[in-house]
Amino acid sequence: MRAVLTRVNSASVSIGGETVGKIGRGFLILLGVGPEDTEKECRYLAEKALSLRVFEDENGKMNLGLDAVGGEVLVVSQFTLYGSCRKGRRPSFAEAAPPELGNALYEQFLSDCARLGYPPQHGRFGADMQVESVNDGPVTLILDTKQLMDTPRRA
């Protein structure tokens, strides 16, 4: 799974002109699912993302997590995170999960966020959505479970 996580002052997602999800300070998470992803990757990614300490403390250091700042979460599905631009001028999305798996793991990610204490606002899988955000910092991180889970941890 892949996620682009942005620290925001506010963010919202709309479908057909109607706002379906809106948050204040917190994380906007764009979520992509690959064909080999499972609930294990989903759970790991939710735990990793929601535990990141990227909000500034009183000394200006990124040392605070969502809980410390009363942060919220907005999750938007984005299969284009698995787009490949290696050949030609039009991206290929052959590396993205099929819609059935993508939707199931997107819903699982939403459930995992809620289980961890952050019931997310969210878009709708497969919909044409408009996303607005006021980025804070800006702080934007790319999380890829293939890289994160295959990397040996430091002692």
Side-chain angles (χ1 to χ4, degrees):
M1 295 184 86
R2 292 180 182 158
V4 174
L5 181 147
T6 303
R7 184 179 77 183
V8 297
N9 286 323
S10 64
S12 65
V13 59
S14 300
I15 301 171
E18 177 186 346
T19 300
V20 296
K22 184 176 183 176
I23 64 168
R25 189 175 193 196
F27 292 155
L28 167 60
I29 300 174
L30 305 177
L31 183 71
V33 178
E36 297 178 7
D37 289 330
T38 67
E39 289 183 13
K40 177 181 176 183
E41 285 83 7
C42 195
R43 193 170 34 257
Y44 178 88
L45 186 60
E47 290 170 0
K48 183 69 165 182
L50 299 180
S51 67
L52 290 172
R53 297 185 309 164
V54 298
F55 294 93
E56 293 180 357
D57 64 16
E58 64 278 356
N59 298 314
K61 301 284 186 192
M62 284 199 290
N63 198 32
L64 302 177
L66 277 173
D67 57 339
V69 300
E72 302 174 283
V73 177
L74 173 63
V75 180
V76 176
S77 65
Q78 188 152 2
F79 75 94
T80 61
L81 293 179
Y82 277 89
S84 173
C85 298
R86 282 181 231 138
K87 295 182 181 179
R89 294 187 178 159
R90 187 170 44 150
S92 166
F93 301 106
E95 295 177 23
E100 301 78 26
L101 176 62
N103 187 38
L105 290 180
Y106 171 71
E107 293 294 332
Q108 182 63 51
F109 187 84
L110 297 177
S111 294
D112 287 340
C113 289
R115 176 183 55 80
L116 294 166
Y118 300 97
Q121 294 287 304
H122 55 87
R124 187 178 316 131
F125 185 87
D128 180 17
M129 297 174 276
Q130 291 69 51
V131 179
E132 293 185 15
S133 67
V134 177
N135 296 355
D136 179 20
V139 174
T140 301
L141 301 167
I142 299 170
L143 305 172
D144 188 323
T145 56
K146 184 148 181 68
Q147 293 173 349
L148 291 169
M149 295 174 83
D150 290 344
T151 304
R153 296 181 185 223
R154 293 188 297 184

